[in-house]
Amino acid sequence: MTRTAFFISDGTGITAETLGRSLLSQFENIEFNQITKPYIDTLEKAHALVELIESTAERDGVQPIVIDTIVDQTVRNIVAKANAFQIDIFSTFLAPLEDELETHSTYTVGRTHAIGQDDVYMHRIEAVNFALDNDDGARTYQYEEADIILVGVSRCGKTPTSLYLALQFGIRAANYPLTDDDLDDNGSLSLPASLMKHRHKLFGLTIDIRRLTAIRTERRPDSRYCSMDQCMREVEQAEALYRRHGIPFIDTTRFSIEEISTRMMNETGLQRRFSPR
């Protein structure tokens, strides 16, 4: 079964999309055509959106699902006329909260993802810049400033995880690629000197060998880099390195970046950082 789902907002649409995707993911037997429509903040845009929803309902032969965080009541009234199954996130949750808190919400567009406090916003940007500056073993002299250092073989998910930790949690994450020079065939499995003194900050990533082979083949087909034997050797030695030095690690094969980062935060005890150092 296939259904169309709209995530609608008069702001960025991030909240509607995030919560909407989370809800729809619980229905594994249904394939959803997901459409995000941010900044529906004028009457003209609202009417155009209604036409799109109506045409979608006619094409699909079933009502689309509309999940929205529209604050403007005039815009909301227009969208509400569309032939759709509608879930209004704000009214669903804000009304009970207003009763409990005995006060009215400000109903302000974009509060969740606005810049807000400048120091909070700038700290997130600094964390992202740190992750970019310290990607793939660059600037190891800055590791004193890192909250965590991700290690793993090439293409196991270090860079996107570092960036997500920075943007979502304000964590200063560096990452270091384990290469043939680090994964020594003689069995010594020594940590690189640049990592040894920061061993308490290290967190390892590993990955299924077949998955790694597939990812590397897309990047460099028909090369030693993507061969099954090379991938197997690197992954096995990386995991042996983690075990020898007591480095915690996680298999990234079946986890999203969000899950990897959250599990990592939980296991290391790192806390979200939203204040400048």
Side-chain angles (χ1 to χ4, degrees):
M1 183 184 299
T2 301
R3 295 288 294 270
T4 300
F6 288 90
F7 308 128
I8 301 170
S9 176
D10 40 11
T12 63
I14 295 173
T15 300
E17 182 176 346
T18 301
L19 182 55
R21 288 182 183 274
S22 180
L23 292 171
L24 298 182
S25 69
Q26 303 304 311
F27 301 91
E28 296 181 357
N29 61 326
I30 300 176
E31 180 179 346
F32 291 97
N33 176 29
Q34 301 177 16
I35 302 171
T36 302
K37 291 291 183 180
Y39 301 113
I40 305 300
D41 51 7
T42 67
L43 302 186
E44 292 75 17
K45 291 179 181 178
H47 285 298
L49 177 63
V50 169
E51 291 182 11
L52 175 60
I53 294 172
E54 296 284 354
S55 64
T56 301
E58 183 176 352
R59 182 199 67 201
D60 293 350
V62 64
Q63 291 185 122
I65 297 167
V66 169
I67 299 175
D68 79 83
T69 55
I70 296 175
V71 171
D72 188 286
Q73 190 59 50
T74 305
V75 172
R76 175 183 301 288
N77 290 340
I78 294 172
V79 175
K81 297 176 182 177
N83 178 23
F85 176 80
Q86 302 198 22
I87 300 174
D88 173 2
I89 293 175
F90 279 172
S91 67
T92 299
F93 296 106
L94 282 181
L97 274 173
E98 287 176 336
D99 291 340
E100 173 63 25
L101 299 174
E102 298 181 346
T103 187
H104 290 292
S105 163
T106 56
Y107 283 87
T108 305
V109 177
R111 288 296 291 256
T112 305
H113 303 286
I115 290 179
Q117 295 176 284
D118 286 344
D119 59 342
V120 170
Y121 180 76
M122 290 309 299
H123 184 77
R124 292 173 66 197
I125 297 304
E126 288 170 4
V128 171
N129 286 334
F130 183 87
L132 292 172
D133 285 344
N134 291 275
D135 185 43
D136 270 354
R139 296 181 173 86
T140 57
Y141 61 87
Q142 293 185 357
Y143 282 4
E144 288 287 350
E145 302 174 39
D147 297 313
I148 192 170
I149 304 167
L150 308 187
V151 294
V153 301
S154 172
R155 314 310 293 177
C156 69
K158 300 184 301 300
T159 297
T161 302
S162 298
L163 289 171
Y164 186 85
L165 285 167
L167 188 59
Q168 188 69 19
F169 300 110
I171 296 296
R172 291 191 171 197
N175 76 77
Y176 184 97
L178 296 173
T179 66
D180 280 340
D181 291 336
D182 304 311
L183 303 172
D184 194 342
D185 276 329
N186 64 22
S188 65
L189 296 175
S190 300
L191 276 174
S194 57
L195 297 181
M196 182 62 78
K197 62 181 178 179
H198 303 293
R199 187 169 57 182
H200 63 290
K201 295 182 180 182
L202 303 182
F203 199 101
L205 302 183
T206 189
I207 189 172
D208 177 77
I209 296 165
R210 287 167 296 183
R211 176 63 178 154
L212 180 61
T213 300
I215 293 172
R216 289 185 174 185
T217 297
E218 291 182 3
R219 186 174 180 84
R220 280 188 223 161
D222 302 319
S223 65
R224 176 173 173 268
Y225 171 76
C226 72
S227 71
M228 182 71 76
D229 287 344
Q230 177 68 14
C231 291
M232 181 181 299
R233 189 182 74 82
E234 289 185 28
V235 169
E236 288 179 349
Q237 291 195 6
E239 292 182 4
L241 184 75
Y242 303 152
R243 294 188 180 98
R244 173 168 183 167
H245 295 279
I247 300 169
F249 66 96
I250 187 172
D251 187 334
T252 64
T253 309
R254 294 176 179 83
F255 290 135
S256 66
I257 297 300
E258 294 86 349
E259 289 175 298
I260 295 167
S261 301
T262 304
R263 287 171 181 268
M264 195 177 294
M265 294 279 290
N266 183 62
E267 188 164 340
T268 60
L270 284 174
Q271 299 295 315
R272 185 190 298 267
R273 293 180 179 273
F274 282 141
S275 59
R277 295 186 172 219

